Amino acid sequence: MTANKDVTPVTELRVPSSKGATAVEVRLRRSAVQLFAEKGYAATGIRDIARATGITSATLYHYTSSKEALLMDIMRDGHRALTESVQRQLKSSDLPEERLGILVGGLAAAHATNPLSTRVVDSEIRALAIGSDARTEIVMLRDHFESFWTKVLSEGIKEGVFTIDDEHLTRLSLISMCTGMSYWYRPALGHDLVQLATHFSDLALGAVRAQRNGKAIRGRDLRPLRIDLVPILDSEPPHI
């Protein structure tokens, strides 16, 4: 099976830190992301963030009420951006193999494009107290995003396209494969995002033993990833 590869480009999906964010607010979030990703939330103090932003601690409180509030804004925007990107791309196909490729390729590309922001979004839920409103909100956003994966895997099994022994373990394994991109991908390695998304999709299709009409489905059989729909977070610091 070879999908129609004619794709109409759309405007780049750039996700602002917040509506009408000022230059200081954007710089504040980027400084926080840099420090949280490199040192960890717990080891980063308000003074560290203020110093990296080039403002005083007193001034910082004009832009955020607390360190946790700043973390929540970063995590909330990250989850919402990923979800919006997935929802827009999933509209392009009803085939479970295509939809799995969208999920895998899109998540991998988002982590490659926003490595520090996604590290914070993925790992710093540990900084939020269990049972707190903040943690509950982030868990709900995370679970909503992962529900797309659960639905696609279930659809693939129902249609006889996927053969999976354990849906839960398969979902977690595929998501972990994609999120790992934030730790090792660099543009200088010479692989563009479309190539990587196709490769990761191929690995995912192999993991679910995808086939249609008795023929194995490969990553090259799918539509290319819509790079223009991969979110670019304004909280992401400049990086090489």
Side-chain angles (χ1 to χ4, degrees):
M1 176 191 67
T2 302
N4 177 12
K5 300 188 186 302
D6 293 333
V7 177
T8 302
V10 299
T11 303
E12 180 183 79
L13 180 59
R14 177 171 291 275
V15 182
S17 298
S18 60
K19 187 175 180 180
T22 66
V24 174
E25 289 170 323
V26 171
R27 197 164 74 246
L28 172 61
R29 289 194 178 201
R30 289 179 175 176
S31 297
V33 162
Q34 185 94 36
L35 290 167
F36 293 162
E38 294 179 352
K39 297 176 59 177
Y41 174 84
T44 300
I46 282 290
R47 290 183 179 179
D48 297 325
I49 299 171
R51 188 181 305 111
T53 307
I55 58 178
T56 65
S57 297
T59 301
L60 183 148
Y61 285 111
H62 287 291
Y63 298 98
T64 187
S65 59
S66 66
K67 187 175 73 165
E68 182 178 274
L70 184 56
L71 174 65
M72 280 293 295
D73 285 342
I74 292 166
M75 297 181 75
R76 187 184 295 115
D77 284 350
H79 280 294
R80 288 176 175 171
L82 285 171
T83 299
E84 180 183 348
S85 174
V86 162
Q87 288 176 316
R88 292 178 67 177
Q89 297 212 54
L90 287 176
K91 292 177 181 179
S92 66
S93 179
D94 292 325
L95 299 176
E97 61 268 37
E98 289 275 5
R99 292 165 70 81
L100 181 60
I102 287 168
L103 290 172
V104 170
L107 185 59
H111 279 70
T113 305
N114 308 279
L116 299 184
S117 296
T118 50
R119 282 186 218 172
V120 173
V121 171
D122 292 340
S123 65
E124 288 301 346
I125 190 172
R126 63 193 174 193
L128 305 176
I130 295 175
S132 66
D133 290 343
R135 188 183 182 98
T136 298
E137 179 184 351
I138 296 303
V139 168
M140 288 179 63
L141 290 171
R142 182 197 64 191
D143 290 351
H144 178 53
F145 174 73
E146 291 188 7
S147 71
F148 293 105
W149 294 70
T150 300
K151 182 178 180 181
V152 167
L153 292 176
S154 297
E155 289 172 344
I157 293 171
K158 183 178 180 180
E159 294 185 23
V161 179
F162 300 161
T163 301
I164 301 172
D165 296 325
D166 190 314
E167 288 184 59
H168 178 70
L169 289 179
T170 299
R171 172 172 56 82
L172 294 180
S173 298
L174 293 178
I175 290 175
S176 295
M177 175 181 73
C178 298
T179 58
M181 285 279 283
S182 65
Y183 290 93
W184 63 264
Y185 175 77
R186 297 293 180 274
L189 293 175
H191 302 292
D192 66 39
L193 291 181
V194 173
Q195 291 175 320
L196 284 169
T198 300
H199 180 69
F200 272 51
S201 296
D202 195 55
L203 293 174
L205 292 169
V208 300
R209 290 170 277 182
Q211 61 174 315
R212 189 176 286 277
N213 301 322
K215 181 182 177 182
I217 305 171
R218 304 297 303 274
R220 62 175 176 269
D221 298 323
L222 309 180
R223 292 188 180 99
L225 175 69
R226 291 285 300 274
I227 294 297
D228 54 327
L229 289 181
V230 174
I232 301 174
L233 302 174
D234 276 357
S235 61
E236 182 64 26
H239 54 86
I240 298 175

